[in-house]
Amino acid sequence: MMDRLVIIGLGLIGGSLALAAKQRGLCNQVIGCGRDPEKLVGAIGLGIVDQVSGDWEQAVAGADMVVVASPVNAVEAVFERIADCVGTDTIITDVGSTKGSVIAAAQRAFGHLPNNFVPAHPIAGTEYSGYEHAQADLFVDHKVILTPHAGSAVAAIEKVSALWQAVGSEVVQMDSSTHDQVLAATSHLPHMLVFTLMKMMADRDDHQAIFDFAAGGFRDFTRIASSDPKMWRAIALANDKEVIDLLTQYQAQLGELVEKLADGDGDYLQQLFSDAKLARDTHLVKPNE
Ligand code: NAP
């Protein structure tokens, strides 16, 4: 069991991890750090943390583990602020949705990649933000990807793995560039598509009729367009090359679809839809769904 767990950025993900750790008795003390600790006081009453602090330097000194749960474009400034106060025995990790950018930020902020630094990304979340939406079971049965750098110490990797396993997650490891490619496909591209679709529909003169008649499929498909625009601005820019690559491929596929539709090529359409259905049924539908 850990003595002190410090979470910097007590939002949905940081708050959910804090709550899960406290409810499962994984540490003696959880401290939530934010830019304005006054705004975090409510998290004590909700049982998410034991203490809140704006004095990050003091909070991280002597901590067993520091989890940086800020937006990916803010991680570097957080690392810079704690670099001189965090002990060499303290494990440093994060939850950012992009990993290459976080590792590059750590390299710049610390001047090297600390061997007690283990980047991580829980593949769980919702479209809501803030600790008020924290859920203790958010990570149960979800994967967490660790992307250790070449110098990450085995003991540090084991401790970060143990934390995530203890809150119910399945831990997997991959290198940061594979992570960023895979997540661009499974998460970043879909967000770009639905943000664009919703904006396109909202800008139409007949948008009221469109939204009045939007049924379950449209709502399901566009749910993630309710995600935090600031967080997604940061993610898109942090993984821009992978996202541009996939958007370009998708654009080409859409161009072909438009041409085949204009040609009335039903065989093409049926083959496309069949291949897509087979792929989804094979890879994403669970046996009892
Ligand atoms: P969130 O609910 O908005 O929380 C982020 C927290 O970061 C805020 O509570 C805020 O705390 C702090 N923050 C915001 N801007 C900051 C800045 N400029 N400098 C320092 N701190 C700042 O977001 P979240 O959904 O928990 O996401 C947190 C991280 O998890 C992100 O890196 C995201 O990529 C990753 N992630 C998100 C999901 C998801 O589905 N939401 C899933 C997996 C991973 P204060 O205002 O108190 O400082």
Side-chain angles (χ1 to χ4, degrees), residues 136-156:
D137 60 355
L138 186 66
F139 309 112
V140 173
D141 295 333
H142 284 266
K143 290 191 173 69
V144 172
I145 303 174
L146 305 189
T147 64
H149 60 89
S152 294
V154 173

Side-chain angles (χ1 to χ4, degrees), residues 279-286 289:
R280 188 170 194 284
D281 291 350
T282 306
H283 300 293
L284 297 182
V285 178
K286 295 184 181 134
E289 269 181 44

Side-chain angles (χ1 to χ4, degrees), residues 70-92:
S70 327
V72 288
N73 60 336
V75 165
E76 183 167 349
V78 174
F79 285 154
E80 276 170 3
R81 193 165 154 188
I82 65 170
D84 292 335
C85 325
V86 73
T88 48
D89 291 339
T90 300
I91 308 297
I92 306 163

Side-chain angles (χ1 to χ4, degrees), residues 8-14 33-36 40 56 69-75 78 95-98 121-131 228 231 235:
I8 302 179
L10 199 65
L12 172 76
I13 300 295
C33 292
R35 291 165 297 175
D36 178 0
L40 302 181
W56 307 359
S70 327
V72 288
N73 60 336
V75 165
V78 174
V95 297
S97 302
T98 60
H121 178 202
I123 310 300
T126 72
E127 64 275 32
Y128 303 112
S129 302
Y131 72 78
D228 180 14
M231 187 174 89
I235 293 170

Side-chain angles (χ1 to χ4, degrees), residues 2 6 13 29-30 48 179 218 236 277:
M2 268 189 266
V6 175
I13 300 295
Q29 188 189 33
V30 183
I48 294 173
H179 168 279
F218 190 84
K277 175 175 166 45

